[in-house]
Amino acid sequence: LVQGLLRKGAFDVAEGWEKWLLDLVGISTIADMVPLTKENRVLAHYGLKVLRKTPRVGLLKLLRRLRIDQRYLSEDDVGFMIAPRINAASRMADPRDAFELLSTDDEALADTKAAQLEKLNNERKGVVGATVKEIRHTLEHRSEIAEVLVLGNPLWRPGLLGLTANTLMEQYRRPVFLWGREGLPVGRVGGDLLKGSCRSDGTVNVLELMTVAAVFEEFGGHALSGGFSVAFDRVHTLEAALVEAYKKVKQKEGQGVELVIDEVLPLSAVNQTTYGMLAKFAPFGIDNPKPVFLFENVRLISVKQFGKEQNHLELLLSDEGGKRVKAIGFFMNKEQFGPFAVEEGGSINLAASFENSTFGGRTELRLRIVDVL
């Protein structure tokens, strides 16, 4: 759009001026989880370069509040730190709050909006956390959980259900469909219209799943996530229709998702030289995932949970030569790896990717846990 408008002469700007818009293009490309290939990859790559130099006062205030070093800003910072706060505006209040943060030149207003978005994001976390707990409590009383997890409540906010569905998908390892109601009931022939979000665990394309189920008024998205609307008088058929469709679609696409190990590495290879080589393949994301490495027979020096709710896992690993490396897994616990014991003093085979954290101005090369084998 920008390129088209400039070709038409709609704006009188210096040649090359448009490159300074790439910070916003980079944020949106990464945050929307589109495939990071071809043109998207180029936009994300140069978007991150501009983000590391952006003069936007609102973004600078937000980065300072998040303790992110602008010079080393990565796609993970965008996906896990910046985008959730921008999105919190429309999910919890008024989207204009995010627009003003990104567009203002006023230092005081930028500071106010950054603080406001942080507050809204914390409120959003609270609502999502409460919804997740409510759903987990419901599922504890079910003797069996279907291949597709389908739940809804007219009191749930549709704008928050994608985040909730993603958390549940990671825990229960299956596609998740959640529905709620936006604002006041909408009167329509055949019942009220309900809206929801879905996430795939990778075993099926949710767009194809919704097409085959044929119970939705409208739907859209991509292979791993989507949104939908369904008539209130048809919502009771939703789970049965999706489970039946899942059997057909999964059978066609193959059974499950295989964990691909790119290479077996010793713990001694966790260093800045290796990380520097891997970083040349960034930005990572959909269709360009981070390489996953297998670290065999590494010893567990310590195993602990961290975070306000103690819902993140930290492992301290060691090899025979005494090399020590930290590995973390957000929203993980040691019990989730089935028959593989994750206990201090024991040994594990760890599948993990590299991560260079600069949180709080302190650089730390560590591993991000993918699985224990």
Side-chain angles (χ1 to χ4, degrees):
L1 174 62
V2 171
Q3 291 168 337
L5 289 170
L6 291 175
R7 277 197 296 269
K8 291 288 186 182
F11 298 95
D12 183 20
V13 295
E15 184 176 351
W17 166 87
E18 70 277 9
K19 72 180 181 182
W20 289 106
L21 300 177
L22 283 168
D23 53 354
L24 300 185
V25 176
I27 289 174
S28 60
T29 302
I30 294 166
D32 202 35
M33 297 179 68
V34 297
L36 289 187
T37 57
K38 302 180 181 178
E39 188 172 13
N40 286 340
R41 178 171 168 75
V42 175
L43 294 173
H45 174 80
Y46 286 102
L48 285 168
K49 281 184 175 291
V50 175
L51 264 171
R52 293 173 191 137
K53 298 178 180 179
T54 186
R56 290 182 199 274
V57 63
L59 281 175
L60 295 179
K61 295 285 187 182
L62 188 61
L63 292 177
R64 194 169 298 128
R65 190 169 288 275
L66 298 176
R67 299 170 69 191
I68 294 173
D69 190 327
Q70 184 183 8
R71 296 170 299 171
Y72 306 111
L73 194 144
S74 70
E75 63 271 28
D76 285 344
D77 294 321
V78 173
F80 297 111
M81 302 292 281
I82 297 171
R85 283 151 180 87
I86 292 173
N87 285 335
S90 59
R91 295 187 196 280
M92 301 298 296
D94 190 333
R96 284 175 294 189
D97 291 327
F99 172 76
E100 289 176 2
L101 174 91
L102 297 172
S103 61
T104 188
D105 292 324
D106 186 301
E107 291 256 354
L109 180 61
D111 209 25
T112 298
K113 291 300 175 183
Q116 194 172 348
L117 292 187
E118 181 67 8
K119 180 174 180 289
L120 288 173
N121 191 56
N122 287 333
E123 290 175 6
R124 186 269 306 168
K125 287 180 184 176
V127 174
V128 170
T131 307
V132 169
K133 284 181 181 177
E134 179 185 342
I135 291 171
R136 285 173 177 161
H137 181 72
T138 299
L139 295 176
E140 284 173 5
H141 293 85
R142 289 190 180 183
S143 57
E144 188 177 350
I145 300 176
E147 293 102 319
V148 181
L149 192 56
V150 182
L151 288 148
N153 188 323
L155 299 178
W156 292 346
R157 293 186 190 182
L160 296 176
L161 293 181
L163 302 168
T164 308
N166 198 68
T167 300
L168 294 167
M169 177 274 294
E170 290 176 347
Q171 179 178 353
Y172 293 96
R173 306 287 182 174
R174 65 196 66 209
V176 178
F177 283 71
L178 303 177
W179 57 263
R181 178 179 283 155
E182 204 159 34
L184 295 172
V186 181
R188 61 188 300 279
V189 177
D192 299 330
L193 195 64
L194 304 169
K195 293 185 177 182
S197 289
C198 56
R199 293 291 185 271
S200 172
D201 61 341
T203 57
V204 291
N205 179 325
V206 288
L207 284 181
E208 186 168 358
L209 186 59
M210 288 188 281
T211 301
V212 174
V215 291
F216 300 98
E217 297 288 311
E218 295 177 319
F219 63 86
H222 51 79
L224 295 176
S225 70
F228 60 85
S229 61
V230 60
F232 189 79
D233 60 359
R234 297 194 72 182
V235 76
H236 66 283
T237 68
L238 196 54
E239 182 176 295
L242 284 167
V243 168
E244 189 60 34
Y246 178 76
K247 292 174 181 176
K248 296 175 183 176
V249 175
K250 184 181 179 184
Q251 186 176 16
K252 188 168 68 173
E253 293 192 357
Q255 301 296 315
V257 177
E258 196 175 62
L259 175 62
V260 176
I261 300 294
D262 292 282
E263 186 63 82
V264 178
L265 289 181
L267 214 56
S268 59
V270 183
N271 54 50
Q272 288 294 343
T273 301
T274 309
Y275 177 76
M277 289 190 289
L278 296 173
K280 293 177 181 179
F281 296 94
F284 299 109
I286 304 298
D287 288 352
N288 185 39
K290 285 185 178 182
V292 176
F293 301 99
L294 180 63
F295 300 90
E296 295 180 308
N297 200 33
V298 289
R299 194 158 61 91
L300 289 165
I301 302 298
S302 71
V303 178
K304 64 181 182 181
Q305 298 294 132
F306 69 98
K308 286 183 180 178
E309 298 181 13
Q310 297 292 294
N311 54 351
H312 309 310
L313 178 64
E314 178 184 298
L315 308 177
L316 182 59
L317 312 168
S318 175
D319 64 8
E320 292 180 355
K323 166 82 173 183
R324 291 192 173 195
V325 175
K326 185 189 293 183
I328 65 162
F330 292 111
F331 303 102
M332 285 185 172
N333 60 67
K334 66 178 185 178
E335 286 80 25
Q336 73 181 68
F337 300 109
F340 302 103
V342 180
E343 301 289 349
E344 289 184 13
S347 295
I348 58 171
N349 296 323
L350 179 72
S353 57
F354 279 63
E355 180 174 271
N356 199 44
S357 170
T358 58
F359 181 73
R362 178 169 159 266
T363 300
E364 179 185 42
L365 182 62
R366 62 192 185 190
L367 298 174
R368 175 69 73 90
I369 301 166
V370 174
D371 207 348
V372 173
L373 308 174

